[in-house]
Amino acid sequence: MVTCCGLVTVKNEPVPLKSIAVEVSVQGHVATVSSTLQYENQEQSPLEAIFIFPLPGEAAVCRFSAKIGQTEVVAEVQEKQKAQEQYDDALSSGQQAFLLEESDESPDVFKLSVGSLPPGEKASVSLDYVTELSVQADDGLRLCLPAVLNPRYQPQDSGSGGSAQVSSVPAGSVPYSLSLSAHVSSPHPISRVESNCPLDPLNYLNTEKTQATVSLAAGHQFDRDVELLLYYQDTHQPTAIVEAAQASAKPGTLMGDPVVMLSLYPEFPKDVMSSMTSHGEFLFVVDRSGSMECPMHLGSGSQDRISSARETLLLLLKSLPMGCYFNIIGFGSSYESFFPKSVEYSQKTMDEALQKVKEMRADLGGTEILQPLKHIYSQPCLPDQPRQLFLFTDGEVENTKEVLDLVKTNAGSHRCFSFGIGEGASTALISGLAKQARGHAQFITGQDRMQPKAMQSLRFALQPAVVDISVKWNVPKEVSVTPLSPPIRVLFQGHRALLYAQLTGERSGDTEGSVTVKYSLAKQPVENQLSFSLKPAEDTGMTVHRLGARTLIQSLEVEEREQDGGKEGVKEKVIELSIQSGVSSAFTAFIAIHKRDGEALQGQLLRRHVPTPNVNVCFNLIPNTCKLLLCLMLFFIVTQQKDLTATVRIRVWVEVLMYIKEAFRFQLCCPIPIDFDSPAPTSKPMRDPLLQLISLQKASGSWVLEAALAEVLVKTEEEVSKPKPAQVDQEVWATVLALIWLYGFKMEAQEDWQFLAMKALTLIVLATLVLHLP
């Protein structure tokens, strides 16, 4: 048996890829990522190395080169079939060749082929891509460097037999290293940078803190997605960047004219936002494939994905408004619905759904999203109940483009809020679902918790729908504007919208332009405007041009698939735009050929697949406004009754405060100074008390005065019930106690239970009004 030297795969084959070095340049809301892959052939024959790897779904690959010794070969963008033929011809003649191409099925999977690497020779392959940074629930901007490429599930009836082979090893066994350094530049001060991987300290480059560098800590193994979260001051300020034309490009072409990128954050009127809608058909579509049994992350004590999905469904079901409709659909190789059709939200239907959620397992085989979506779209929409689709998946599907095309076809009937769970979720699928169906995408990786992100999406879904959106550009008459982005179809409060446009014509001096976004919200006309200078910014590279080109290319690719190739000229236009801008597309590839001096390489060409990893409180922290709210709530409910004398009211008020002191041992702002101790330790370990309390809430928003509630409060049932004033309803009293506990001990998880509290407060307000009725 031959013993392989150096790094080897699980099949005991040498791995030619030795290391990956990444440099990131962040400019506000966009980033340029430069990766350098070091290869070495330690075998006795010429080698072809195949590397199948993921990139962000919205990324635009814009440069590809190879360096052999001191010779650098820069790749050209060509029509894909032509590039593949040139690559094969080069290999057959013994020449070195390099090919980079996008998957036919999913735009976030790429294949890198390094052909005819001679024995003992090293090669350095570099690729650059530009990408937008997505906005997270906590206003952070997310940059993800995907490492994990989990096996994509191929539907049995897809007929796709030409998929590239993916070689994978267990996470933690990846035989090559990663180094990463980032330079961050922003118009606003940089507050902090966080990551799911250890980082060296953030290094500010100026006193304004608008520029900084940060690096991964040494020794990082590329066995998980690398996520950077960037936090700026005034993140929600709208911005505009005008990028100068490429000097070598012909005026009138995309690269030969300036391009503007606008970052818009619409502000909705406060009176409209104060009333969230109580209507809607909420469909929760949950991945129950076998891969959902995988852990959320690689750390100790990680929860599996299906358990996290169950807990998230508990929160969502408890947070739905009365009067809406809902259903839950689990899918894998097949799909199952909790109810034959959507049912009205009530205590009975909620209890029935929660029981089924408890029994939900990852037991439905592969990941087949297409069929459950077709089933949903075949069901008629309910009158006056806008359809809201929440889709949770680890995203391991192969027919991404087919799924997105189906969603786009039915986009007019619903909005889709998508969630990518765990390492390896397809960014093209998750982001594409939300983009095509006017929703919002979230990714849950590393130590992320799914629940706050689900609550943010629910908040978006409950916002009044924005309709009749129009964008008007206001520029000098000698300048014309050609939009590169598709029309805006969705706006949410606090949600960013990026727009790209080509500017053609002569400009003089520091002239200004503006863009006006108009729309209708709850039958009210709303207008937001952003002014910007037409003077190009300095040192932006061609990032904005390439992102604008990628945006236009993606729109044209969807149009071409909708026409099934029948609309003449669309594919040709994509190829022309891709070659002109140097940006990857479904119909083009990067090809580089190194024509060596002397004789061509001889010997049998060995093929090696480079593996990728496979994974499957203290009450004093409460703001004074919250304390005051709780005090006033207790005061009105307990003491504002006409038949109580002032003396009795004071006595009841003191008794309530004393009960709170004994039961919770924390201090409310009140007219009586009392010293309180820290919360008493629990007498026995419990499963998550927050989830236990949430599970006890009724669909109406109330809690019941029972032993289970007392257990969460670490009291006996008698200790909870005895202090209740006789005039106060039991459910109102229990609900007040539950809210006090939430505000007292779970403020750090407020995003999880905010909608539960809103329902409960509404119930208490109604009870207070009843007390005041004559």
Side-chain angles (χ1 to χ4, degrees):
M1 179 178 177
V2 177
T3 302
C4 297
C5 301
L7 300 171
V8 296
T9 69
V10 291
K11 295 181 180 179
N12 210 34
E13 295 175 340
V15 176
L17 178 59
K18 301 304 177 184
S19 66
I20 302 176
V22 179
E23 293 184 0
V24 179
S25 176
V26 177
Q27 296 174 327
H29 289 238
V30 299
T32 300
V33 181
S34 301
S35 301
T36 302
L37 297 83
Q38 297 288 347
Y39 286 87
E40 181 179 359
N41 181 6
Q42 296 179 334
E43 302 190 60
Q44 301 302 313
S45 300
L47 187 69
E48 181 185 22
I50 307 295
F51 190 23
I52 312 295
F53 61 96
L55 287 181
E58 296 298 314
V61 178
C62 54
R63 190 178 188 275
F64 177 57
S65 66
K67 189 173 184 180
I68 306 94
Q70 298 302 313
T71 303
E72 183 179 25
V73 184
V74 178
E76 297 179 352
V77 180
Q78 295 186 9
E79 190 274 328
K80 181 178 285 189
Q81 182 63 35
K82 181 180 177 181
Q84 291 171 341
E85 291 173 356
Q86 287 192 14
Y87 177 79
D88 292 338
D89 290 343
L91 295 193
S92 63
S93 62
Q95 300 292 340
Q96 287 181 281
F98 305 84
L99 181 69
L100 179 67
E101 54 188 320
E102 179 183 307
S103 164
D104 291 333
E105 297 299 330
S106 182
D108 64 344
V109 177
F110 280 76
K111 176 183 177 182
L112 171 60
S113 302
V114 178
S116 290
L117 189 62
E121 188 159 289
K122 298 178 180 180
S124 174
V125 177
S126 299
L127 65 94
D128 297 355
Y129 66 84
V130 291
T131 186
E132 299 173 355
L133 306 182
S134 59
V135 183
Q136 302 302 289
D138 60 356
D139 294 336
L141 296 176
R142 178 179 184 262
L143 170 67
C144 181
L145 185 67
V148 177
L149 181 60
N150 292 334
R152 304 295 199 214
Y153 177 76
Q154 179 176 321
Q156 295 181 358
D157 59 351
S158 68
S160 176
S163 301
Q165 177 184 346
V166 178
S167 176
S168 62
V169 295
S173 301
V174 180
Y176 43 87
S177 62
L178 169 76
S179 63
L180 181 145
S181 61
H183 180 280
V184 184
S185 177
S186 168
H188 308 290
I190 304 162
S191 300
R192 65 187 189 277
V193 178
E194 297 177 356
S195 177
N196 61 332
C197 303
L199 294 175
D200 289 335
L202 185 66
N203 177 37
Y204 289 108
L205 301 180
N206 58 9
T207 55
E208 295 81 8
K209 295 186 176 182
T210 57
Q211 294 192 39
T213 58
V214 68
S215 302
L216 279 181
H220 177 78
Q221 189 176 29
F222 203 10
D223 58 357
R224 73 195 77 172
D225 292 354
V226 177
E227 183 181 66
L228 292 180
L229 293 173
L230 313 174
Y231 295 88
Y232 303 148
Q233 294 181 24
D234 302 319
T235 302
H236 287 273
Q237 288 294 319
T239 58
I241 297 176
V242 176
E243 187 174 76
Q246 192 175 56
S248 59
K250 180 182 177 181
T253 63
L254 174 59
M255 304 303 288
D257 285 335
V259 170
V260 59
M261 178 182 71
L262 301 180
S263 173
L264 301 176
Y265 282 96
E267 289 293 333
F268 294 174
K270 292 182 179 179
D271 58 335
V272 174
M273 292 306 300
S274 62
S275 58
M276 306 290 267
T277 180
S278 61
H279 300 290
E281 179 192 15
F282 295 88
L283 302 177
F284 303 109
V285 184
V286 183
D287 192 340
R288 288 176 52 187
S289 63
S291 58
M292 288 290 286
E293 289 185 336
C294 294
M296 292 289 293
H297 59 83
L298 300 176
S300 60
S302 174
Q303 187 180 35
D304 58 65
R305 300 171 185 177
I306 194 67
S307 297
S308 183
R310 283 196 297 265
E311 292 181 0
T312 303
L313 284 175
L314 167 65
L315 277 173
L316 288 167
L317 287 172
K318 293 288 185 176
S319 302
L320 291 179
M322 298 296 287
C324 73
Y325 286 73
F326 78 100
N327 202 353
I328 299 176
I329 299 100
F331 70 90
S333 302
S334 58
Y335 61 90
E336 298 176 356
S337 297
F338 279 19
F339 306 100
K341 61 180 181 179
S342 296
V343 295
E344 187 172 1
Y345 181 69
S346 66
Q347 186 65 45
K348 179 177 181 298
T349 56
M350 186 192 73
D351 287 342
E352 186 176 347
L354 286 175
Q355 183 58 41
K356 292 181 178 181
V357 167
K358 291 179 182 178
E359 300 167 355
M360 194 170 65
R361 300 291 181 268
D363 54 3
L364 291 183
T367 310
E368 172 53 271
I369 295 180
L370 204 60
Q371 296 309 314
L373 288 178
K374 287 181 177 179
H375 168 73
I376 290 170
Y377 297 145
S378 70
Q379 304 294 312
C381 293
L382 302 174
D384 301 320
Q385 300 286 351
R387 179 171 286 176
Q388 313 276 9
L389 187 65
F390 284 66
L391 194 147
F392 300 84
T393 179
D394 54 19
E396 298 174 6
V397 301
E398 188 177 77
N399 57 340
T400 299
K401 292 181 181 178
E402 189 177 1
V403 172
L404 297 182
D405 289 345
L406 175 67
V407 172
K408 185 176 186 297
T409 302
N410 294 275
S413 65
H414 73 302
R415 291 196 296 188
C416 181
F417 299 88
S418 51
F419 301 83
I421 304 172
E423 308 286 356
S426 168
T427 56
L429 177 71
I430 304 304
S431 299
L433 287 169
K435 183 177 181 180
Q436 297 299 342
R438 303 171 295 125
H440 186 65
Q442 303 271 20
F443 289 89
I444 302 98
T445 60
Q447 301 284 344
D448 286 352
R449 294 176 60 250
M450 190 185 304
Q451 291 82 358
K453 298 192 175 187
M455 290 300 104
Q456 185 200 40
S457 291
L458 180 60
R459 185 166 66 249
F460 284 161
L462 292 174
Q463 287 181 10
V466 175
V467 296
D468 300 330
I469 304 172
S470 67
V471 177
K472 182 181 179 182
W473 296 85
N474 309 294
V475 293
K477 61 181 181 180
E478 63 271 14
V479 178
S480 62
V481 178
T482 304
L484 302 175
S485 304
I488 298 178
R489 294 185 295 171
V490 59
L491 288 173
F492 298 114
Q493 170 74 18
H495 183 218
R496 181 199 64 191
L498 287 179
L499 293 179
Y500 300 91
Q502 177 181 348
L503 304 176
T504 304
E506 296 295 330
R507 293 163 303 284
S508 58
D510 297 337
T511 54
E512 283 201 349
S514 66
V515 63
T516 303
V517 181
K518 295 182 179 181
Y519 47 90
S520 178
L521 181 67
K523 298 183 179 180
Q524 293 185 25
V526 184
E527 179 177 312
N528 294 145
Q529 187 176 68
L530 172 63
S531 298
F532 58 92
S533 171
L534 292 174
K535 182 180 179 181
E538 297 180 358
D539 300 326
T540 58
M542 299 304 293
T543 302
V544 174
H545 277 77
R546 286 162 178 158
L547 285 171
R550 180 59 169 163
T551 299
L552 182 55
I553 285 171
Q554 288 179 329
S555 298
L556 291 171
E557 287 174 347
V558 172
E559 183 180 340
E560 198 273 343
R561 291 199 301 273
E562 287 177 341
Q563 301 295 330
D564 196 21
K567 189 171 182 179
E568 187 176 353
V570 176
K571 180 177 179 179
E572 288 73 16
K573 188 173 181 179
V574 170
I575 294 172
E576 179 185 359
L577 183 58
S578 177
I579 294 174
Q580 177 200 142
S581 62
V583 168
S584 58
S585 76
F587 307 126
T588 54
F590 286 86
I591 175 71
I593 299 175
H594 179 215
K595 297 181 180 180
R596 301 170 57 92
D597 297 331
E599 295 184 2
L601 292 177
Q602 302 296 321
Q604 181 183 3
L605 186 65
L606 302 179
R607 173 171 289 195
R608 295 288 181 256
H609 289 270
V610 177
T612 57
N614 177 20
V615 288
N616 272 319
V617 157
C618 175
F619 192 77
N620 290 331
L621 297 177
I622 301 178
N624 288 334
T625 52
C626 295
K627 295 179 183 178
L628 181 60
L629 170 64
L630 290 174
C631 291
L632 291 175
M633 181 175 63
L634 286 169
F635 182 81
F636 278 115
I637 293 175
V638 179
T639 67
Q640 291 295 304
Q641 301 185 60
K642 296 178 180 179
D643 57 341
L644 294 181
T645 65
T647 302
V648 173
R649 290 176 185 173
I650 292 174
R651 189 180 75 243
V652 171
W653 180 244
V654 172
E655 287 177 356
V656 170
L657 290 173
M658 292 303 294
Y659 169 75
I660 293 172
K661 170 189 174 183
E662 294 302 322
F664 300 101
R665 299 179 184 269
F666 56 61
Q667 183 174 2
L668 289 169
C669 55
C670 62
I672 304 176
I674 304 175
D675 294 327
F676 292 85
D677 301 322
S678 58
T682 57
S683 58
K684 62 178 181 178
M686 295 171 53
R687 68 182 182 89
D688 188 347
L690 175 60
L691 292 177
Q692 190 170 344
L693 181 74
I694 290 171
S695 67
L696 297 174
Q697 190 185 36
K698 300 299 181 182
S700 62
S702 68
W703 276 266
V704 176
L705 206 58
E706 58 184 350
L709 176 63
E711 182 184 1
V712 176
L713 305 181
V714 201
K715 289 294 171 183
T716 65
E717 190 173 2
E718 181 182 4
E719 289 173 324
V720 170
S721 304
K722 188 175 180 180
K724 182 188 76 65
Q727 298 88 350
V728 179
D729 179 82
Q730 284 195 351
E731 284 199 4
V732 172
W733 178 252
T735 304
V736 168
L737 297 181
L739 284 172
I740 291 175
W741 187 87
L742 287 172
Y743 280 97
F745 298 104
K746 291 297 176 182
M747 277 299 292
E748 78 282 358
Q750 186 179 14
E751 284 188 334
D752 292 16
W753 49 261
Q754 58 184 318
F755 291 111
L756 315 178
M758 287 171 59
K759 290 169 66 173
L761 287 169
T762 301
L763 179 140
I764 290 173
V765 169
L766 291 175
T768 305
L769 292 175
V770 170
L771 289 176
H772 285 277
L773 290 176

